[in-house]
Amino acid sequence: MNKLFTFLFFLIWNFSFSQLTVSTKYIEIYSWDDEKDAWGEIIVEDDQFSFFEFNEEMTFLNFTTIKEKTSFFLTDSEYSEEHEHFSYEVTSDSGYESTLIVDLKSDLPNIRLVIDVEDSNLLIRYTVKNYWFEDEE
């Protein structure tokens, strides 16, 4: 099964062309506060430049930082009219699952990952520096 997943991953990656590219400039990480039933204080904040490159169908994502490159399969796309953002269930190339929220219309455009880690939940928010679509180049 793992070999099949790896084969499919590389096959899709080789034939995927970027439609939307997002560059980010800042990262914040929050942990969930069960007592307040809300995201707690920032536990990490740093200048971090990264790129999110989505394929044309918005089903695949390459995420690149200075230190690493990770790929994600995107499924269960939903649009929230109330918040004007898209959310996806994502699975990394190593099999890790999380939720991705692409919020480019807010006052502070951002991309968020919600991850279950052991006994807690983390919110990783990337502040968008710029974004563009391939046909605008």
Side-chain angles (χ1 to χ4, degrees):
M1 179 67 179
N2 195 18
K3 288 181 182 180
L4 176 61
F5 179 76
T6 303
F7 173 75
L8 290 174
F9 165 75
F10 283 112
L11 181 66
I12 292 171
W13 180 75
N14 283 326
F15 293 103
S16 298
F17 299 100
S18 177
Q19 176 183 342
L20 170 64
T21 302
V22 179
S23 65
T24 66
K25 59 184 176 181
Y26 195 73
I27 185 174
E28 298 166 313
I29 301 176
Y30 303 82
S31 64
W32 183 256
D33 186 332
D34 285 329
E35 291 178 13
K36 295 181 181 178
D37 198 30
W39 294 109
E41 299 293 320
I42 296 174
I43 57 175
V44 173
E45 58 183 325
D46 195 16
D47 292 328
Q48 179 179 334
F49 300 98
S50 57
F51 287 95
F52 291 83
E53 298 174 273
F54 297 86
N55 72 338
E56 188 174 353
E57 295 81 19
M58 298 295 286
T59 58
F60 190 78
L61 162 67
N62 279 319
F63 173 67
T64 307
T65 67
I66 292 172
K67 296 180 181 179
E68 66 182 300
K69 185 171 186 173
T70 306
S71 298
F72 295 92
F73 291 100
L74 285 67
T75 58
D76 299 331
S77 171
E78 289 185 30
Y79 180 74
S80 169
E81 290 189 27
E82 177 184 357
H83 300 290
E84 296 187 63
H85 68 235
F86 284 92
S87 64
Y88 303 88
E89 294 304 314
V90 297
T91 305
S92 72
D93 51 7
S94 60
Y96 197 73
E97 297 178 351
S98 58
T99 301
L100 176 77
I101 301 166
V102 180
D103 190 357
L104 301 177
K105 292 186 177 183
S106 70
D107 293 336
L108 182 62
N110 65 86
I111 293 180
R112 301 184 298 274
L113 278 169
V114 180
I115 302 172
D116 294 328
V117 179
E118 296 176 11
D119 292 335
S120 65
N121 292 321
L122 294 178
L123 170 67
I124 304 172
R125 182 170 65 184
Y126 298 88
T127 302
V128 171
K129 179 178 180 181
N130 197 2
Y131 66 92
W132 60 94
F133 295 90
E134 185 170 303
D135 49 324
E136 292 181 352
E137 293 180 333

